[in-house]
């Protein structure tokens, strides 16, 4: 999961470095990633079955929506805004995990989620006047967060019966297919400039293949709540990446907001994990 977090944190920077059409990038990334996964399956003497496509295909459509919202969103708002909005996913996933998978909900941790929301508002409402930030981009990233939360909830169940190569090949294929009509309607087939092909290749291999696979592997041993709360470190990595490669800046009040978000979510994760441990560690047996 740590590998996935590092990859996802730099993904928004890679999208910006490609400097192309967000939907086109998302579509081509998904189709090429699916081809890579099918090549992996072929080396193992396997191929996609209609049963797998019918079961995991809808998840691919959801992933297509998620990628499109995020890739377009990060071209219309700052990396800091996009990543900080993404940190609110634990507030959605903890109650959902409790309802669907009977994971223990750490209600005492939720007040820290409100602190994270307060810090997030400091960042969103104090963007530099010349910076790249818009409410359209913010709302698109928020839609990506909700669809990502849904993706984690659904894929956790499918992962129990479908191997990673088959599942990833189907998901990425479905995501690419659902985005093809949008690319056709916009006539943006050439939406990736030649100068951005190197960055696009990195985006495909890291985000479309390695990062997503690591999440599915992690789901075998980690609860949804743990996966989502581990991502609290992602914004800090993304902001550093944007500073190094995109020359983005933050106001002092936004830096305060970032610190508030990070501290609140770290305490959120710490409280949630302590409650979870108490639920699974059996009471000590009496000594002889």
């Amino acid at each position: 999961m740590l590998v996935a977090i590092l990859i996802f944190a730099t993904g928004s920077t890679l999208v910006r470095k490609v400097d192309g059409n967000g939907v086109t990038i998302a579509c081509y990334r998904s189709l090429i990633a699916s081809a890579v996964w099918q090549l992996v399956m072929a080396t193992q003497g396997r191929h996609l079955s209609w049963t797998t496509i019918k079961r995991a295909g809808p998840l691919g459509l959801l992933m297509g929506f998620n990628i499109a919202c995020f890739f377009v969103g990060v071209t219309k708002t700052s990396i800091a805004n996009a990543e900080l909005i993404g940190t609110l996913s634990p507030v959605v996933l903890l109650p959902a995990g409790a309802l669907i998978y009977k994971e223990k909900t750490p209600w005492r941790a939720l007040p820290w989620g409100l602190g994270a929301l307060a810090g997030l508002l400091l960042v969103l409402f104090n963007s530099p006047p010349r910076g790249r930030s818009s409410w359209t981009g913010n709302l698109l990233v928020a839609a990506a967060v909700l669809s990502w939360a849904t993706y984690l909830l659904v894929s956790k169940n499918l992962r129990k019966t479908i191997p990673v190569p088959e599942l990833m090949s189907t998901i990425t294929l479905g995501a690419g297919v659902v985005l093809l009509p949008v690319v056709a309607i916009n006539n943006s087939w050439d939406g990736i400039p030649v100068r951005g092909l190197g960055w696009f290749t990195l985006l495909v291999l890291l985000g479309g293949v390695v990062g997503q696979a690591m999440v599915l592997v992690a789901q075998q041993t980690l609860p949804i709540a743990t996966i989502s709360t581990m991502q609290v470190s992602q914004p800090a990595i993304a902001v550093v990446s944007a500073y190094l490669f995109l020359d983005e800046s933050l106001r002092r009040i936004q830096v305060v907001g970032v610190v508030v978000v990070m501290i609140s979510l770290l305490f959120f994760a710490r409280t949630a994990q302590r409650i979870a441990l108490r639920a699974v560690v059996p009471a000590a047996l009496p000594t002889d």
Side-chain angles (χ1 to χ4, degrees):
M1 195 59 211
L2 288 173
V3 174
I5 288 170
L6 289 171
I7 290 173
F8 293 155
T10 57
S12 49
T13 297
L14 290 176
V15 172
R16 188 78 66 78
K17 294 293 287 186
V18 174
D19 194 25
N21 182 280
V23 175
T24 304
I25 294 172
C27 179
Y28 290 172
R29 169 190 180 268
S30 299
L31 292 176
I32 296 174
S34 179
V36 171
W37 280 112
Q38 291 186 52
L39 180 62
V40 171
M41 292 169 57
T43 61
Q44 301 172 347
R46 296 184 290 173
H47 58 82
L48 277 181
S49 66
W50 280 111
T51 302
T52 301
I53 293 175
K54 286 188 292 185
R55 293 184 59 199
L59 193 60
L61 304 183
L62 179 64
M63 177 54 66
F65 176 78
N66 168 266
I67 296 172
C69 286
F70 185 76
F71 282 17
V72 175
V74 296
T75 63
K76 296 181 181 297
T77 192
S78 68
I79 299 298
N81 283 15
E83 294 295 340
L84 285 170
I85 292 171
T87 60
L88 297 181
S89 60
V91 181
V92 177
L93 284 169
L94 278 174
L99 290 173
I100 298 174
Y101 294 108
K102 308 303 179 184
E103 295 178 357
K104 185 175 178 60
T105 303
W107 298 110
R108 283 182 293 172
L110 293 184
W112 291 109
L114 297 178
L117 178 60
L120 177 62
L121 294 177
L122 282 177
V123 176
L124 296 184
F125 283 101
N126 291 280
S127 298
R130 295 183 182 178
R132 180 185 297 209
S133 180
S134 72
W135 282 105
T136 299
N138 294 340
L139 291 173
L140 283 170
V141 174
V145 170
L146 292 176
S147 57
W148 173 251
T150 306
Y151 171 84
L152 284 178
L153 292 168
V154 177
S155 62
K156 182 177 178 68
N157 189 47
L158 289 177
R159 178 64 187 89
K160 297 176 181 178
T161 55
I162 303 178
V164 169
E166 282 87 342
L167 187 55
M168 280 306 307
S169 179
T170 305
I171 290 173
T172 50
L173 178 62
V177 168
V178 76
L179 293 172
L180 272 177
V182 182
V183 175
I185 292 172
N186 294 333
N187 194 26
S188 57
W189 300 106
D190 57 348
I192 300 178
V194 175
R195 64 180 181 277
L197 288 178
W199 297 108
F200 175 74
T201 302
L202 279 177
L203 184 66
V204 172
L205 295 178
L206 294 178
V209 179
V210 179
Q212 296 290 346
M214 292 298 97
V215 173
L216 293 177
V217 172
Q219 284 181 323
Q220 291 182 292
T221 55
L222 294 179
I224 289 174
T226 303
I227 290 176
S228 62
T229 51
M230 283 182 68
Q231 292 183 287
V232 299
S233 60
Q234 187 169 315
I237 302 171
V239 169
V240 171
S241 176
Y243 173 79
L244 293 175
F245 297 103
L246 300 175
D247 295 325
E248 287 200 358
S249 59
L250 292 172
R251 285 180 167 180
R252 289 182 180 179
I253 186 65
Q254 288 185 294
V255 173
V256 173
V258 170
V259 173
V260 170
V261 169
M262 297 300 296
I263 291 176
S264 296
L265 287 174
L266 285 172
F267 275 98
F268 179 95
R270 183 185 180 192
T271 306
Q273 288 299 94
R274 283 184 172 182
I275 294 173
L277 284 173
R278 292 194 193 105
V280 299
V281 177
L285 293 175
T287 56
D288 291 334

